[in-house]
């Protein structure tokens, strides 16, 4: 009996360790796009807008994966994920990512940018299933009371992946090459995706053949509401048509070399990407207005905090990705160092590492330390995270550490934000949004290291936004909480739309001024923090603390 019990415990621990490795690769590949984008821009002679379509392919897959599962559940009148079980959902997602990694090999061989985008889409489509299953599955792998701790562990490991990803991928793509010709060998991507695909296949095999693991099925009826389904379907049709037009145009011109920067009225790509942004805002805005007049048939979307929060997640993921994905192009400008593609990795790593720093600090409250210990940890933990990022860069290029050391000053502002936020999600989101706006304005009106570090500090302020937006959005939803959570996850779509919108602004004006889009996104998040507090107060809800984990993917 004791032997069996110990074996079962070991199996759960092994499953958690394996599951956490999946969290790592989500962050690893997502953050690596910031290196891959300037690499592909140079290799395929793309403009900034076209290069940002890598993010579009990657993050649109999250939306489509979630929406397809939701639509199938509606048609079949049962929860597809619950029918499969969480374990099988993770396995199916892993196998789909293996397929995407396998497709990357012929895509690279064909030297086709549209084909590579397609492979990226399939990899991320698998990620959408993995994340749908992995977060609740982590709670099943032990005492439910400590489930939040396991999710925070996954989020922390994910952030390590976002920090190391740019450094490792930069080494794979550029190595120690000094010649520009060597740095544009797209064939180097093959080995990376052979390795990633093989690891995903091993993890899928582990979960599939581990018979002692829970399947993760629950009792309960699937609920859907006609008006909410119709609104999301209209949104999906609009997004699909506009993305289809963009990618069709790309495929038509993929063999041509981009030349001069296009003018606003001569280039349909501008209106297509603006149309994408307007479509999301318009559908959510009209849904918000309609649901307030008659809540019947809207399900979770009858709650104003949820609809405004959906747009909040859209803006948050979009700006987080856009800042990092356009950072490489910014660094190539003379006034920001004039770096080559192979020299930008330390700064990209520090940007994504900034999110890790904030998430480590944001996780302190979960362990309920005393007030005095918490004060000490809020100061020490961010600098431990900073030390980890510096150490990671040291092993790749020791000279980069001295370039990043002054960034320690920016971390002081983040620490101040935590003390001002006082673990209140609305207050924290407002404080960090205002700080982010100030940082973006400093970056826009200065140059050189001051501006660069100001833009990079956007990662510090983004770090705690996901749990704050999520907590405020689902507060008071009751039986609609699960549905509301699924709708929020769909809005990761922002990562597919806002980066190319910033890329288009960069092509029309310049990369420096394109960061005005970040100011606009953070301004909405500040508005949401203020508005959500009053909405919840009117409903008799005083949501004082954020108990939601920081999230595995963002």
């Amino acid at each position: 009996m004791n032997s069996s019990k110990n074996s079962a415990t070991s199996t759960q621990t092994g499953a958690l360790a394996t599951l956490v490795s999946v969290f790592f690769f989500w962050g690893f590949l997502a953050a690596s796009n910031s290196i891959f984008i300037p690499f592909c821009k140079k290799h395929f002679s793309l403009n900034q807008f076209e290069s940002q379509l890598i993010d579009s392919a990657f993050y649109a897959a999250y939306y489509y994966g979630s929406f397809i599962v939701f639509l199938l559940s509606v048609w079949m009148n049962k929860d597809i994920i619950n029918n499969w079980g969480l374990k099988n959902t993770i396995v199916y997602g892993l196998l789909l990512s293996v397929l995407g990694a396998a497709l990357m090999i012929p895509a690279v061989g064909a030297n086709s940018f549209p084909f590579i985008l397609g492979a990226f889409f399939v990899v991320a489509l698998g990620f959408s299933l993995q994340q749908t299953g992995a977060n609740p599955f982590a709670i099943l792998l032990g005492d439910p009371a400590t489930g939040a701790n396991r999710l925070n562990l996954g989020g922390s490991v994910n952030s390590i992946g976002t920090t190391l990803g740019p450094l490792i991928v930069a080494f794979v793509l550029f190595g120690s090459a000094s010649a520009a010709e060597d740095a544009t060998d797209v064939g180097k991507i093959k080995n990376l995706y052979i390795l990633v695909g093989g690891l995903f296949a091993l993890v899928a095999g582990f979960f599939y053949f581990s018979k002692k693991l829970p399947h993760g099925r629950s009792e309960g009826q699937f609920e859907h509401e006609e008006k909410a389904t119709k609104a999301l379907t209209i949104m999906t049709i609009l997004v699909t048509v506009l993305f289809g037009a963009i990618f069709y145009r790309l495929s038509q011109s993929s063999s041509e070399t981009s030349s001069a920067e296009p003018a606003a009225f001569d280039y349909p790509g501008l209106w297509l990407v603006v149309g994408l942004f307007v479509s999301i805002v318009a559908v959510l805005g009209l849904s918000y207005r309609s649901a307030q007049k008659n809540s019947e048939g809207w399900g979770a979307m009858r709650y104003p905090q949820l609809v405004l929060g959906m747009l909040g997640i859209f803006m948050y993921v979009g700006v987080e990705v856009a800042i990092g994905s356009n950072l490489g192009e910014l660094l190539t400008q003379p006034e920001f160092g004039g770096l080559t593609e192979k020299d930008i990795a330390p700064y990209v790593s520090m940007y994504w590492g900034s999110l890790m720093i904030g998430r480590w600090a944001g996780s302190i409250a979960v362990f309920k330390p005393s007030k005095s210990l918490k004060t000490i940890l809020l100061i020490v933990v961010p600098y431990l995270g900073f030390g980890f990022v510096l150490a990671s860069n040291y092993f790749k290029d020791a000279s980069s550490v001295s370039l990043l050391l002054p960034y320690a000053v920016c971390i002081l502002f983040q620490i101040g934000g935590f003390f001002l936020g006082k673990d209140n999600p609305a207050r924290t989101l407002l404080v960090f949004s205002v700080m982010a706006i100030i940082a973006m304005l400093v970056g826009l009106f200065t140059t050189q290291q001051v501006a660069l570090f100001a833009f990079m500090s956007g990662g510090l302020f983004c770090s705690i936004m996901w749990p704050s937006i999520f907590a405020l959005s689902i507060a008071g939803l009751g039986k609609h909480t699960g549905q509301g959570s699924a709708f929020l996850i769909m809005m990761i779509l922002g990562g597919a739309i806002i980066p190319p919108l910033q890329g288009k602004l960069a092509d029309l004006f310049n990369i420096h001024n394109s960061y005005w889009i970040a100011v606009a996104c953070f301004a909405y998040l500040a508005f949401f923090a203020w508005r959500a507090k009053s909405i919840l107060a009117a409903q008799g809800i005083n949501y004082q603390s954020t108990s939601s984990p920081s999230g595995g993917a963002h």
Side-chain angles (χ1 to χ4, degrees), residues 117-132:
L117 292 180
F120 260 117
F121 182 85
V122 177
V123 169
L125 203 59
F127 282 9
S128 71
L129 279 181
Q130 291 169 40
Q131 292 202 34
T132 300

Side-chain angles (χ1 to χ4, degrees), residues 86-106:
L86 297 177
K87 187 176 100 168
N88 287 338
T89 298
I90 295 170
V91 171
Y92 298 154
L94 287 164
L95 292 178
L96 201 52
S97 292
V98 170
L99 175 61
L103 288 173
M104 188 66 75
I105 297 170

Side-chain angles (χ1 to χ4, degrees), residues 100-362:
L103 288 173
M104 188 66 75
I105 297 170
V108 170
N111 199 36
S112 168
F113 184 59
F115 196 173
I116 287 175
L117 292 180
F120 260 117
F121 182 85
V122 177
V123 169
L125 203 59
F127 282 9
S128 71
L129 279 181
Q130 291 169 40
Q131 292 202 34
T132 300
N135 285 287
F137 193 74
I139 296 175
L140 292 179
L141 295 177
D143 183 355
T146 58
N149 293 346
R150 289 189 290 280
L151 283 175
N152 275 288
L153 173 64
S156 298
V157 172
N158 174 267
S159 294
I160 293 173
T162 64
T163 303
L164 297 180
L167 299 173
I168 296 172
V169 171
F171 179 79
V172 170
L173 295 180
F174 306 115
S176 58
S178 58
E181 297 79 30
D182 293 333
T184 57
D185 179 8
V186 76
K188 294 176 181 178
I189 302 167
K190 285 184 180 179
N191 291 337
L192 174 65
Y193 276 88
I194 289 172
L195 175 62
V196 168
L199 288 171
F200 280 147
L202 285 174
V203 175
F206 173 85
F207 277 101
Y208 181 78
F209 292 108
S210 296
K211 302 301 183 184
K212 294 182 180 180
L213 293 179
H215 283 281
R217 294 188 179 96
S218 61
E219 299 297 328
Q221 289 277 0
F222 173 75
E223 293 185 9
H224 73 272
E225 303 288 347
E226 183 179 350
K227 291 180 181 178
T229 302
K230 186 180 293 184
L232 291 172
T233 301
I234 292 171
M235 181 190 295
T236 304
I237 292 171
L238 290 171
V239 168
T240 302
V241 169
L242 291 167
F243 265 135
I246 289 172
F247 285 108
Y248 174 75
R249 195 177 190 286
L250 176 67
S251 68
Q252 293 296 101
S253 61
S254 60
S255 60
E256 301 174 5
T257 301
S258 300
S259 53
E261 293 181 354
F265 294 99
D266 297 331
Y267 193 62
L270 170 66
W271 307 116
L272 290 173
V273 74
V274 168
L276 280 167
F277 183 84
V278 170
S279 296
I280 303 300
V281 176
V283 171
L284 290 177
L286 291 172
S287 298
Y288 175 89
R289 185 174 180 180
S290 178
Q292 296 313 293
K293 291 181 178 179
N294 182 4
S295 63
E296 185 179 351
W298 282 102
M301 291 180 71
R302 76 181 62 184
Y303 296 94
Q305 65 267 35
L306 188 276
V307 180
L308 294 177
M310 290 171 69
L311 188 55
I313 290 291
F314 176 85
M315 295 289 191
Y316 156 70
V317 176
V319 72
E320 175 192 289
V321 175
I323 292 173
S325 293
N326 286 280
L327 192 61
E329 177 66 14
L330 186 76
L331 286 161
T332 64
Q333 305 305 304
E335 64 270 30
F336 289 93
L339 304 181
T340 62
E341 290 81 3
K342 70 185 184 68
D343 296 324
I344 66 175
Y347 297 98
V348 174
S349 173
M350 181 55 76
Y351 171 73
W352 290 105
S354 295
L355 281 102
M356 179 194 71
I357 290 168
R359 287 167 182 169
W360 283 11

